Amino acid sequence: MKYEMLYLIDTSIAEEAREALITKFEDTVKNLGGTVVSTDKWGVKKTAYPINYKSEAFYVLMTFEADGSAIKELDRIAGITDGIMRRMITKAI
């Protein structure tokens, strides 16, 4: 199945660390038997509401193919990763 994961990275994180986070999620998908279709870096945008007193975040949209069990693990890893403000995984059409 094809999925999309939109995640928001804290803007206070250095660029090298931000790139490392993006690579970490791509590698996680690959290690779980999936394939990354694309990773779009949207850049810094205003959030709809303050998250942890911050009103801006670095948005990243990753499109990938994986099975359902990989989704739970990816969501769990994103949930415990420092610097990730929000994440959402949805089925792509």
Side-chain angles (χ1 to χ4, degrees):
M1 301 256 352
K2 200 171 194 179
Y3 295 93
E4 291 180 336
M5 175 172 159
L6 178 67
Y7 54 101
L8 282 57
I9 302 174
D10 193 333
T11 53
S12 65
I13 290 179
E15 190 174 340
E16 301 83 41
R18 187 170 62 222
E19 291 298 323
L21 278 175
I22 293 168
T23 303
K24 173 184 175 175
F25 289 125
E26 289 176 346
D27 290 344
T28 301
V29 169
K30 292 172 190 166
N31 292 339
L32 294 169
T35 55
V36 176
V37 177
S38 68
T39 301
D40 296 327
K41 298 171 191 165
W42 292 355
V44 177
K45 296 189 175 295
K46 276 185 106 39
T47 56
Y49 53 88
I51 302 169
N52 299 336
Y53 306 105
K54 296 181 179 168
S55 58
E56 287 186 334
F58 189 91
Y59 283 67
V60 181
L61 178 69
M62 177 173 67
T63 306
F64 62 97
E65 293 177 3
D67 59 355
S69 60
I71 302 306
K72 283 184 181 171
E73 181 63 10
L74 183 63
D75 189 48
R76 185 190 72 79
I77 290 169
I80 60 174
T81 302
D82 286 339
I84 301 299
M85 296 167 63
R86 291 284 188 273
R87 82 261 181 218
M88 180 173 65
I89 301 174
T90 56
K91 240 182 237 180
I93 298 171

